[in-house]
Amino acid sequence: MENKHRYFTSESVTEGHPDKMCDQISDAILDAVLEQDADARVACETVVCTGTVFVMGQISTKAVVDIPTIVRDTVRNIGYTRAKFGFDADSCGVLISLDKQSPDIAMGVDRSDEYKDRGEILDMYGAGDQGMMFGYACNETPEYMPMAITLAQRISKRLADVRKNKLLPYLRPDGKCQVTVEYDENDKSIRVDTIVLSAQHSGDVTSETIAEDMMNFVIREVVPLHLLDERTKFYINPTGRFEIGGPAADSGLTGRKIIVDTYGGYCAHGGGAFSGKDPTKVDRSAAYMARYICKNLVAAGLAEKVQLQVSYAIGRAKPVSVDVNTYGTGVLTDSVLSDIITQEFDMRPKAIITKFKLQRPIYLKTASYGHFGRDEFPWEKTDKVKALKKYLP
């Protein structure tokens, strides 16, 4: 008989992963600028490699920030404080190449001419660039997120926690995990099929100890035991050793973990990264709004899962297109839901920024363990459920 089950995999990485180091540095700089200047324009990217941090991009602001100190403090808080860990916050080189935002971009962002003829709001921001952004939500987990990315983020976060609280003092900052979830013929997640976990460690610990500790203090602490069974496969440090990590093992770059940051590959992605960008960049703010819309639709019972695409043109406030896909789970047609979204949600950049209060220094904490599925962020609220339930047939 044909097996109609399917298997889906997502991954997550810890704060000490080189790419995640870059995301955190970029967002730490963004937060420092916004703390002094809410209207700043920031597009800051970071590169790390052996012994070096390179900060580059465009920043237009009245703020005066000490970028080298921000870089070193961020690296130190991640845990890279000794060269033998793969990086040292105090001795690494910090190179900076920053310019101001292009006046051509600023002209489109600062004032959208879209409403002048009708005498409507004149100071609405236009989108900071063209592009398409995706949001997603499903009823698979209490977080309204896919199971695989939810578990992968939990494992990575727990791996960092047991290092920081010195429960497992031999751990080092770098690490990553991967979770494969099995779905039945009704497309319901039923079990965890495989967990891959790689944890950087000191040289004086055995592979057997690491494997045992990862099972007892990490995996079994955050993965519901009913999802694990005798067929679940575990691959812990599958190469055997992971002593060299961080920028000493691999270079890092801001925005190279966009799938980790979002839905673990379970839905489409527009390609735009989040970290280091102020909220006039719709890559970030519109993706947050798209998540908010999808989560509220699912929480209201209008669909079991929803993917939303919105697209923008630079300098224009309203989205160019809105596309809904409920994968056949909607209680209304996708086109009707699209109309409901445009009626109930204001997706203009200025409206998004105002609703979520995005001109605040809130971004560093988004840069690890996902931007979605965490109630601490304003775009995770389900405060539109009551308004949406009126559309239930």
Side-chain angles (χ1 to χ4, degrees):
M1 181 180 293
E2 180 185 0
N3 183 359
K4 295 183 179 180
H5 290 205
R6 68 182 183 90
Y7 301 82
F8 189 86
T9 301
S10 294
E11 73 161 347
S12 177
V13 301
T14 65
E15 298 143 69
H17 186 283
D19 294 331
K20 272 290 144 212
M21 289 177 64
C22 295
D23 288 341
Q24 291 166 91
I25 291 168
S26 294
D27 273 336
I29 293 169
L30 171 62
D31 279 354
V33 172
L34 290 178
E35 192 168 15
Q36 298 181 36
D37 181 6
D39 294 316
R41 299 292 157 74
V42 180
C44 175
E45 298 190 1
T46 304
V47 175
V48 296
C49 58
T50 304
T52 306
V53 178
F54 180 25
V55 178
M56 58 188 172
Q58 295 79 38
I59 299 179
S60 295
T61 182
K62 298 175 292 184
V64 178
V65 297
D66 185 348
I67 290 179
T69 296
I70 294 169
V71 169
R72 295 186 191 281
D73 287 347
T74 304
V75 172
R76 187 178 299 106
N77 290 335
I78 290 169
Y80 285 114
T81 56
R82 301 177 66 182
K84 72 176 186 177
F85 294 174
F87 213 72
D88 184 354
D90 294 314
S91 64
C92 66
V94 179
L95 307 177
I96 301 170
S97 179
L98 293 169
D99 205 343
K100 294 182 179 180
Q101 183 181 59
S102 161
D104 294 340
I105 295 175
M107 179 173 58
V109 175
D110 290 337
R111 183 180 62 253
S112 172
D113 293 331
E114 197 170 331
Y115 306 96
K116 276 188 174 179
D117 293 341
R118 301 193 299 275
E120 295 181 23
I121 301 170
L122 297 179
D123 64 345
M124 296 294 288
Y125 291 157
D129 200 355
Q130 69 179 44
M132 63 281 191
M133 299 83 216
F134 287 87
Y136 182 82
C138 60
N139 61 6
E140 190 175 340
T141 64
E143 296 88 353
Y144 293 94
M145 291 285 287
M147 179 73 75
I149 187 62
T150 297
L151 295 180
Q153 301 284 25
R154 287 183 192 174
I155 292 171
S156 290
K157 178 66 164 58
R158 177 64 180 174
L159 182 60
D161 288 345
V162 297
R163 171 180 62 86
K164 291 178 179 179
N165 65 25
K166 302 189 186 311
L167 180 62
L168 302 177
Y170 60 79
L171 289 176
R172 300 294 180 251
D174 201 353
K176 62 197 308 183
C177 74
Q178 182 175 287
V179 176
T180 301
V181 172
E182 180 179 352
Y183 290 79
D184 65 16
E185 59 274 10
N186 298 314
D187 208 32
K188 303 297 182 184
S189 54
I190 57 174
R191 59 182 290 274
V192 171
D193 182 74
T194 307
I195 295 176
V196 182
L197 177 56
S198 297
Q200 186 190 8
H201 57 85
S202 64
D204 57 357
V205 61
T206 66
S207 298
E208 292 75 18
T209 296
I210 296 170
E212 183 178 350
D213 287 346
M214 292 303 101
M215 288 297 302
N216 292 334
F217 297 109
V218 178
I219 294 172
R220 295 188 183 278
E221 285 291 322
V222 294
V223 178
L225 296 182
H226 72 272
L227 294 174
L228 305 176
D229 58 30
E230 68 280 357
R231 294 184 295 127
T232 302
K233 298 176 285 293
F234 301 94
Y235 300 103
I236 297 173
N237 282 6
T239 64
R241 304 293 288 175
F242 186 8
E243 295 180 39
I244 302 172
D250 193 10
S251 62
L253 175 64
T254 299
R256 204 157 55 184
K257 285 291 175 283
I258 56 176
I259 300 303
V260 171
D261 284 341
T262 53
Y263 307 99
Y266 207 85
C267 68
H269 196 294
F274 298 156
S275 290
K277 295 178 180 177
D278 75 82
T280 67
K281 279 70 172 174
V282 284
D283 279 339
R284 183 167 218 158
S285 53
Y288 291 169
M289 175 56 84
R291 162 63 178 174
Y292 172 74
I293 294 170
C294 290
K295 185 174 181 180
N296 276 271
L297 288 172
V298 174
L302 290 170
E304 294 181 14
K305 53 184 174 181
V306 180
Q307 175 183 280
L308 173 65
Q309 185 206 55
V310 293
S311 68
Y312 291 84
I314 187 169
R316 308 296 289 179
K318 288 186 177 180
V320 173
S321 67
V322 176
D323 179 72
V324 177
N325 183 0
T326 64
Y327 307 90
T329 70
V331 300
L332 302 168
T333 66
D334 290 351
S335 60
V336 169
L337 286 175
S338 181
D339 291 340
I340 290 171
I341 288 170
T342 56
Q343 292 173 34
E344 293 289 341
F345 298 92
D346 192 341
M347 290 178 279
R348 295 175 292 184
K350 179 64 173 179
I352 298 171
I353 290 168
T354 301
K355 179 173 182 57
F356 298 141
K357 299 178 181 178
L358 294 180
Q359 291 176 303
R360 300 177 289 151
I362 61 172
Y363 296 105
L364 176 57
K365 60 185 177 181
T366 69
S368 302
Y369 313 116
H371 293 244
F372 306 125
R374 299 164 60 184
D375 288 341
E376 63 197 289
F377 301 137
W379 49 88
E380 291 295 319
K381 292 182 178 179
T382 51
D383 52 3
K384 288 286 287 186
V385 167
K386 184 177 180 179
L388 291 172
K389 281 189 173 181
K390 68 186 178 187
Y391 297 102
L392 288 169

